[in-house]
Amino acid sequence: MAFIKAVGDIMLAKSPSGALSPYYYKGGYFHGIHYGSYFDDMDALFTMMEKEEHFILNSPQMRRILIDLYETNLSKPALEKMIHHIEQISPRIIKLAITSDKKSLNSIRKAIKKASILGSGQLYLCTDMEEGKTWLVSDGIL
């Protein structure tokens, strides 16, 4: 993990999926995860999920997380793997926003609800990435 620069007392680094972590947005910070544009390449997606999971679980920080799933086709096995991944990182999640197309979000919503992974108010699903980012930092707590 290569550090980029210091901002105040926070060191900025890239997460395994290539996002700045933490990412400053509208007065708050979040951790972005790019799982988008994997299309049908589930092996590459699963490898990246393992790297992100390791990165998150091996840090002490609680996180606001944005997962981008645009242009990634979630088959039933891939959706199950994604739900397991979210369950694994859930002890580090303050809030989780997931952005994707409406069809994928509907499947994700049902699967997360069935798995009872996150508490009330911790999950936001949307098709607009800016909307998801705004929701993540909306309570003003860094």
Side-chain angles (χ1 to χ4, degrees):
M1 172 170 52
F3 289 102
I4 298 170
K5 63 181 178 177
V7 176
D9 60 349
I10 296 174
M11 294 298 289
L12 296 179
K14 286 194 175 185
S15 72
S17 66
L20 285 179
S21 178
Y23 182 84
Y24 181 78
Y25 184 79
K26 293 185 178 181
Y29 293 92
F30 69 88
H31 175 90
I33 300 178
H34 299 297
Y35 292 154
S37 300
Y38 280 91
F39 301 96
D40 293 317
D41 189 353
M42 294 303 103
D43 290 338
L45 174 64
F46 296 165
T47 297
M48 186 53 64
M49 286 168 57
E50 289 172 15
K51 289 178 182 178
E52 281 288 347
E53 192 171 303
H54 180 77
F55 180 84
I56 291 168
L57 294 177
N58 285 300
S59 70
Q61 293 89 8
M62 295 293 290
R63 297 173 185 269
R64 296 160 196 282
I65 298 173
L66 174 71
I67 296 178
D68 161 23
L69 281 169
Y70 280 105
E71 297 182 331
T72 296
N73 302 319
L74 290 180
S75 62
K76 186 173 181 175
L79 179 60
E80 289 172 1
K81 181 92 169 169
M82 180 64 64
I83 298 306
H84 178 72
H85 172 61
I86 293 169
E87 186 173 32
Q88 290 299 109
I89 65 173
S90 66
R92 295 282 193 269
I93 295 174
I94 296 170
K95 293 168 91 174
L96 173 65
I98 300 175
T99 61
S100 190
D101 61 89
K102 286 183 181 183
K103 181 180 176 190
S104 294
L105 290 175
N106 191 36
S107 298
I108 292 164
R109 176 181 289 112
K110 288 177 185 177
I112 288 176
K113 184 177 179 180
K114 182 178 178 183
S116 299
I117 298 170
L118 300 171
S120 177
Q122 278 188 288
L123 179 65
Y124 190 76
L125 303 172
C126 59
T127 58
D128 182 346
M129 198 169 303
E130 298 304 309
E131 184 180 326
K133 291 176 187 179
T134 300
W135 177 80
L136 283 172
V137 300
S138 64
D139 56 18
I141 299 170
L142 299 178

